[in-house]
Amino acid sequence: MNILLLGSGGREHAMAWKLKQSPLCDTLYIAPGNAGTANCGTNVSLSITDFPAIRQFCLDNEIHLIIVGPEEPLVKGVVDYFKSNPVQLSAEAARELGLDSIPVIGPAAYGAQLEGSKAFAKAFMERHAIPTAAYREFSAENFEAGVEYIRQHSLPIVLKADGLAAGKGVLILNDQEEAIREFTSMIRESKFGDASKKVVIEAFLSGIELSVFVLTDGKNYVLLPEAKDYKRIGEGDTGLNTGGMGAVSPVPFADTEFMQKVVDRVVKPTVKGLQEEEIEYKGFIFVGLIKVGDDPYVIEYNCRMGDPETEVVMPRLKNDLVELMLATARQELDRQTVEQDSRVACTVMAVSGGYPGDYEKGKKIKGLGQASGSDTLVFHAGTTEKNGEVLTNGGRVLCVTSYGSSVKEAVGASKAVLDNISFEGMYFRTDIGYEFN
């Protein structure tokens, strides 16, 4: 079958790497892809939000399945577009796949609000008794009430831009006056653009975080390997937030007892809530959790896989990813059992100098030819190819994922490979997984 994967980051390279392993995958297209995904399939110069152009490409290339990597097309309604403008499969493909038209793996726009709107997600959790921090939401209309709420709030206090802010719209503050200044900047000065027209203010939860990945067909679900990512730019989790500097899987403290609480208190009520509210959702649910004492609380939902978590989840997933995608489309996930590689997988992200602030693109990447092995994978994030050379094309440039018998061993293997890769201004954290060494 022919598959179209939308996206261009490390998440999409990891997914493309996994999809290509399936005997069901004949031709894989990645739009727009990067220099790494070009080794897994054919990169296509398509905008991920130009839905008519995507549909025409599907018609021209007999696509049988669309998988959406990033959140933007989902929030903007790519699933809804293809539902309103379906592309019929040939009679032979329909018989073989058990589907009438090309399925798009991901939620419809309304369900994608679980990520697209913090306020929507918090209200959903409240309706379904899913444990999360206490909160209130404010906008320009009740701005003064928000200021007063901050003045009375215990510290630290968490401010979240309601909309999509590229992972940078969350502030944790230890001073009320500073919190009021930031709140003012978000709502009245559009610090995060339209994303902060509404701000969710919530209580700070103290604990250790992890990410749980659910694949649901809207009725049934399976759990993929969990992961823990590292958002801060600096060693020891210091400095500015980023899109993610590395990840580990499995998460040592997520034992059987804790994960059962996650399933009972979070996963089942979430999937049941989607079903009860008739929210169309066939795709990934990323559950950002924090372990407070021995109990899980939801920090956030995302409507897609995480990045760089996907770069450790896919290497540990033993199942055929295409089979899982088809089961999702057919609403047959109850027939699937997820199998996980017992080894530890850790990824370390190399970023451009200056990131997450201003950075330059177009730096030549050296050493990629030597960076391979049976226990190590190099996933490209922000790269492009020009005249036979691989160049930097983003803040997060590439990550190295390694298997090992422990976090320390796996991270050590990734760092050893990164020591042989270079580009001007390259930086990576050397302490990913430091709590578990």
Side-chain angles (χ1 to χ4, degrees), residues 218-412:
K219 178 181 177 184
N220 313 291
Y221 73 89
V222 293
L223 282 188
L224 304 180
E226 80 284 355
K228 183 183 189 308
D229 81 326
Y230 294 80
K231 283 280 190 281
R232 302 281 187 149
I233 189 69
E235 309 274 312
D237 285 336
T238 57
L240 295 173
N241 267 338
T242 71
M245 295 298 294
V248 303
S249 179
V251 180
F253 64 81
D255 57 21
T256 303
E257 183 180 355
F258 178 76
M259 288 305 294
Q260 191 58 53
K261 289 180 181 178
V262 172
V263 168
D264 292 341
R265 302 178 189 180
V266 177
V267 177
K268 286 182 178 177
T270 297
V271 175
K272 187 181 179 187
L274 293 171
Q275 194 177 7
E276 286 178 351
E277 296 189 24
E278 298 182 347
I279 296 174
E280 187 177 346
Y281 208 115
K282 290 185 176 182
F284 299 103
I285 308 173
F286 168 134
V287 188
L289 293 169
I290 186 166
K291 183 183 182 187
V292 180
D294 292 321
D295 297 319
Y297 287 78
V298 177
I299 299 171
E300 65 175 358
Y301 289 115
N302 290 329
C303 60
R304 37 72 190 182
M305 290 293 291
D307 190 348
E309 294 98 328
T310 305
E311 290 93 298
V312 291
V313 172
M314 290 300 150
R316 292 197 61 233
L317 178 67
K318 294 177 77 172
N319 297 63
D320 183 318
L321 183 58
V322 178
E323 283 187 2
L324 286 176
M325 298 293 92
L326 287 174
T328 301
R330 296 173 183 144
Q331 210 166 54
E332 293 177 353
L333 277 177
D334 53 327
R335 302 183 187 180
Q336 299 289 322
T337 301
V338 166
E339 294 183 34
Q340 304 184 18
D341 193 310
S342 61
R343 292 174 294 176
V344 172
C346 298
T347 198
V348 180
M349 183 73 71
V351 304
S352 295
Y355 176 80
D358 295 334
Y359 56 86
E360 295 180 357
K361 298 180 181 181
K363 306 299 183 182
K364 182 179 177 181
I365 304 172
K366 301 175 184 176
L368 288 172
Q370 293 79 46
S372 62
S374 58
D375 290 333
T376 298
L377 302 155
V378 178
F379 293 120
H380 293 227
T383 66
T384 188
E385 189 171 345
K386 190 174 182 181
N387 299 326
E389 292 184 338
V390 179
L391 308 176
T392 66
N393 194 43
R396 293 190 299 164
V397 177
L398 56 86
C399 62
V400 178
T401 299
S402 298
Y403 295 105
S405 59
S406 66
V407 169
K408 186 175 183 179
E409 182 179 289
V411 170

Side-chain angles (χ1 to χ4, degrees), residues 13-52:
H13 190 183
M15 294 177 81
W17 168 82
K18 186 68 177 173
L19 291 164
K20 195 59 183 173
Q21 295 172 24
S22 172
L24 297 171
C25 180
D26 294 316
T27 304
L28 175 63
Y29 297 97
I30 309 97
N34 59 43
T37 60
N39 297 318
C40 304
T42 302
N43 287 346
V44 182
S45 183
L46 280 173
S47 165
I48 57 174
T49 54
D50 187 346
F51 304 153

